Amino acid sequence: MEDCTICALHEYELFKDLNQAELELLGKRSQATIVPKREYIFTPDSPSDAVYMLKKGRVRISRLSETGKHFTLVILEPGDIFGENAIFGDEPRRNFAEALDDAHICMIDKRDFETIAAQNPRMSLKLAQIVEQRLAEAQEQMENLVFYDVQTRLARLLLKLADIHGKRTESGAVQIGIKLTHEDIASLIGSTRETTSKILNEFKSAGYIDVIKRHILLLDQQSLASM
């Protein structure tokens, strides 16, 4: 493995307040690696001994449901940090972290990360905000499962993805800027691939969405929002 370069670390919002010496310390103690598509970076019961930064590709954080199916908590994009719960205790991992593409990641030893964070209140605050956001996202996922049917959960997910990753096209549609398989989408709404595919086809037939080269385009956000 190679060390993570200082310039690469400085691109992460979490580390923008660090000085040159602190960046050099993290750079020397960190390791860059590539995790092949569909391989796990960590699994439940793995030791919580590192924090990870995603430089390229996508990573899915998921948990097994009572029926043994993966329920996706969040899909991470380049620039995201994960495995941050290692900083708050020595308990083993509870979730799966899976590379959805070949994932280029930077791994920082937990102890080195803790040392730098303890010396930088602003970094610690940003880290706390990341944890708070992840908890809020997990809570939203659980509430969606309890209070909404599959069709509504799917509509709400598409609107959320459009809000985060959407790009307006010349026709006025909003294209979701990440490619997701029907299996990926199903795991995000706690459904099966078959049910998800059926509802997506219904949305397409109704003129709410279109799908071009695995990219979903929202044509009628108002109808989706009314579900």
Side-chain angles (χ1 to χ4, degrees):
M1 293 185 181
E2 299 178 352
D3 293 346
C4 295
T5 61
I6 295 174
C7 60
L9 290 176
H10 196 264
E11 292 174 358
Y12 291 87
E13 181 64 30
L14 184 64
F15 302 133
K16 287 190 181 296
D17 295 315
L18 300 187
N19 60 39
Q20 187 74 6
E22 291 165 336
L23 286 171
E24 288 179 357
L25 174 61
L26 284 182
K28 291 177 181 177
R29 300 292 181 88
S30 63
Q31 295 177 315
T33 187
I34 300 175
V35 179
K37 179 179 179 179
R38 296 301 178 184
E39 287 197 8
Y40 289 108
I41 300 159
F42 57 74
T43 60
D45 296 327
S46 298
S48 297
D49 55 5
V51 178
Y52 303 87
M53 275 68 65
L54 181 58
K55 298 194 291 184
K56 183 179 179 181
R58 297 174 302 154
V59 169
R60 175 172 69 172
I61 306 298
S62 66
R63 186 175 295 178
L64 281 183
S65 68
E66 293 180 356
T67 60
K69 292 187 177 182
H70 281 275
F71 176 68
T72 299
L73 299 173
V74 64
I75 292 179
L76 303 173
E77 298 288 321
D80 285 333
I81 181 175
F82 62 103
E84 70 282 351
N85 286 340
I87 304 303
F88 303 101
D90 297 321
E91 294 82 6
R93 304 284 186 187
R94 298 177 60 190
N95 300 328
F96 293 85
E98 177 189 10
L100 293 182
D101 312 301
D102 289 346
H104 297 239
I105 62 174
C106 185
M107 181 176 66
I108 299 179
D109 183 87
K110 168 184 175 176
R111 292 164 296 182
D112 296 322
F113 193 97
E114 288 175 334
T115 298
I116 299 298
Q119 298 170 358
N120 290 269
R122 294 185 66 178
M123 176 180 164
S124 297
L125 177 59
K126 289 179 182 179
L127 182 62
Q129 291 170 339
I130 291 172
V131 173
E132 182 180 12
Q133 179 183 353
R134 296 277 164 80
L135 290 174
E137 290 172 347
Q139 181 66 27
E140 181 183 5
Q141 291 276 61
M142 296 305 298
E143 289 176 355
N144 284 340
L145 282 174
V146 172
F147 296 113
Y148 300 107
D149 59 20
V150 178
Q151 184 183 60
T152 304
R153 295 203 300 268
L154 179 53
R156 288 170 63 89
L157 174 65
L158 294 178
L159 292 169
K160 180 178 180 179
L161 291 175
D163 185 52
I164 299 173
H165 304 288
K167 299 177 181 178
R168 184 74 62 177
T169 66
E170 293 182 359
S171 65
V174 177
Q175 176 178 298
I176 296 175
I178 57 174
K179 294 181 179 180
L180 296 172
T181 66
H182 287 193
E183 187 70 35
D184 293 335
I185 295 172
S187 70
L188 278 164
I189 61 173
S191 184
T192 64
R193 181 186 60 79
E194 293 78 12
T195 299
T196 300
S197 297
K198 177 177 179 292
I199 298 174
L200 283 171
N201 287 331
E202 291 173 355
F203 285 177
K204 185 175 180 180
S205 297
Y208 301 156
I209 68 169
D210 197 4
V211 182
I212 300 177
K213 296 181 179 179
R214 279 183 55 196
H215 279 292
I216 297 176
L217 283 79
L218 303 196
L219 308 178
D220 187 351
Q221 294 187 70
Q222 185 174 354
S223 293
L224 292 172
S226 67
M227 292 183 182

